[in-house]
Amino acid sequence: YEITVGMLVLNAEIASYNIGEWTVNGEVVSNQSTYSFEIVSPQYSIELNCSNPCGTSSSNLDINITSLQQISTDVWNLYPNPVHGELNISAQFPFDSYAISDITGRVLLQNKTSYSNYCEVVNTQLLPSGIYFCTVSFNGRSSTKKVVVQ
């Protein structure tokens, strides 16, 4: 595992004939070889189960984070800004959704992404010129930035 910028990154080399499953604090969270999530607690109980037709094996890991810093989801960018046409949303970590809202808070564009998504291209051509807000959600937490559509 690796701790970076308020994120815990779990990575395992799983043979192609195995099926892997990550469990964090008793909840199944992923069947991918790599899983990352935002640190919101100082303690985690992690289990990796691998199974194939011959059986199942488990690996357990208890993580105690002794210095929990302010968690930042501001590890993402919008470009170009101002935008005319396609807006790129890119993140250092995978995100699971985005929403574009006007200044009244009305959501005009939104999409849930797979949690392995680091980049999304949003067509803004149907939006009138003006100021909008883009909210990106990282594993249940969100961060908002202003975007100008020309």
Side-chain angles (χ1 to χ4, degrees):
Y1 72 93
E2 178 183 357
I3 298 174
T4 178
V5 193
M7 299 291 286
L8 183 57
V9 180
L10 307 173
N11 190 14
E13 290 186 29
I14 300 172
S16 62
Y17 53 84
N18 282 328
I19 298 172
E21 182 177 82
W22 290 104
T23 303
V24 176
N25 294 340
E27 180 182 338
V28 175
V29 293
S30 177
N31 63 355
Q32 303 295 315
S33 60
T34 301
Y35 177 70
S36 63
F37 58 94
E38 187 175 10
I39 298 169
V40 295
S41 169
Q43 296 180 323
Y44 291 94
S45 177
I46 297 169
E47 184 176 6
L48 175 62
N49 291 309
C50 289
S51 60
N52 62 40
C54 296
T56 300
S57 65
S58 296
S59 297
N60 296 304
L61 176 65
D62 289 321
I63 298 175
N64 293 306
I65 300 167
T66 57
S67 176
L68 189 60
Q69 299 175 348
Q70 178 65 36
I71 299 161
S72 174
T73 54
D74 290 329
V75 290
W76 63 283
N77 294 307
L78 296 169
Y79 61 92
N81 193 7
V83 62
H84 179 73
E86 291 186 339
L87 175 68
N88 295 285
I89 303 171
S90 67
Q92 193 173 10
F93 299 100
F95 56 95
D96 51 15
S97 68
Y98 71 86
I100 308 285
S101 56
D102 63 16
I103 58 172
T104 68
R106 184 174 50 137
V107 176
L108 303 172
L109 300 170
Q110 65 182 348
N111 193 22
K112 290 186 186 270
T113 62
S114 67
Y115 195 70
S116 60
N117 203 10
Y118 291 81
C119 186
E120 186 79 15
V121 178
V122 180
N123 184 347
T124 64
Q125 291 179 344
L126 297 178
L127 296 176
S129 297
I131 297 173
Y132 297 88
F133 296 95
C134 180
T135 301
V136 174
S137 184
F138 295 85
N139 198 23
R141 296 230 174 176
S142 62
S143 178
T144 302
K145 294 184 179 184
K146 181 174 76 169
V147 62
V148 177
V149 174
Q150 293 182 330

